[in-house]
Amino acid sequence: MHGLIWIIWACLLSGKPLLSEPAGIQFRFKGREMLLACGMRQGPGNYLPRGNFSNRKLDTLSNWFDPEKGYVEIIRQDNPELPTIGLAIGFEFDESNGEFPYTPAYGILQLKNFGWGGVEFGPRDTLNYTGVSNEVSDDLSIEILGFSNDTITGKFSGLLLSGAGPMAPIENGRFRVRVYRK
């Protein structure tokens, strides 16, 4: 108990909040609030990318930043081994920009319901939803709010389209994820 008091006191003196936004990705889709906090993990009978990666490799694949290419990709699921919902978001990012909020000119978001099957986050997937923001399409809005100690925070929203045709809004999206440099 005495140690907890010192931690609280140190937080109060530093000016940092005691409780910050949860790590992962949170959003509202089809009227449902979702928090996806898990990266990918090996598990019995789970749906993994080809290559049968180790948990260490899957952890890196779940949140990476390539400074040379100026690109970030984050994947989060509701369960690490047996997911039902997953989201992948990727966007251009220049860490030397230093001005926030920062709006990337290119971004993509893919929402997957693992119960539906289909190609994992692939372009031939007709049952799950995708949104793109580039010079041609503007269905997605991504805003980077900060980048410190390899942790990137931001928000997103947009209108997603499934390969079968239906559209649905994704709202109040927020993320806070520590990324691994490639």
Side-chain angles (χ1 to χ4, degrees):
M1 180 71 172
H2 187 67
L4 179 60
I5 292 170
W6 281 109
I7 292 171
I8 293 171
W9 182 249
C11 287
L12 290 172
L13 289 176
S14 72
K16 295 180 182 175
L18 292 176
L19 299 173
S20 63
E21 190 172 313
I25 300 176
Q26 51 190 322
F27 57 93
R28 183 173 42 239
F29 186 71
K30 293 187 173 183
R32 186 172 155 205
E33 297 290 332
M34 296 188 195
L35 172 61
L36 306 180
C38 303
M40 298 181 286
R41 287 284 183 262
Q42 285 278 6
N46 62 350
Y47 192 72
L48 283 175
R50 288 160 292 290
N52 203 19
F53 298 118
S54 69
N55 281 339
R56 185 175 179 178
K57 180 69 173 176
L58 289 171
D59 193 37
T60 302
L61 287 173
S62 294
N63 32 272
W64 57 266
F65 169 45
D66 187 334
E68 191 174 297
K69 292 183 179 175
Y71 194 75
V72 169
E73 185 171 283
I74 302 166
I75 298 174
R76 285 294 179 271
Q77 306 173 150
D78 60 346
N79 184 294
E81 295 177 0
L82 298 169
T84 57
I85 298 290
L87 186 137
I89 186 169
F91 49 86
E92 68 168 0
F93 178 66
D94 177 8
E95 72 178 313
S96 65
N97 178 9
E99 292 185 29
F100 298 102
Y102 167 76
T103 303
Y106 174 78
I108 188 166
L109 184 143
Q110 296 173 320
L111 182 65
K112 175 147 184 83
N113 181 333
F114 288 92
W116 292 343
V119 180
E120 182 175 352
F121 295 119
R124 294 178 294 139
D125 184 350
T126 60
L127 296 172
N128 296 294
Y129 288 85
T130 302
V132 177
S133 176
N134 58 24
E135 65 279 348
V136 176
S137 183
D138 195 21
D139 0 291
L140 186 62
S141 170
I142 301 173
E143 191 173 43
I144 310 308
L145 302 175
F147 184 67
S148 177
N149 298 323
D150 288 341
T151 297
I152 193 161
T153 57
K155 60 184 184 176
F156 61 91
S157 62
L159 186 62
L160 304 182
L161 175 67
S162 86
M167 295 184 282
I170 190 163
E171 303 167 310
N172 300 327
R174 299 187 70 75
F175 58 87
R176 184 173 67 86
V177 175
R178 184 171 190 276
V179 291
Y180 294 101
R181 291 174 182 264
K182 280 188 149 191

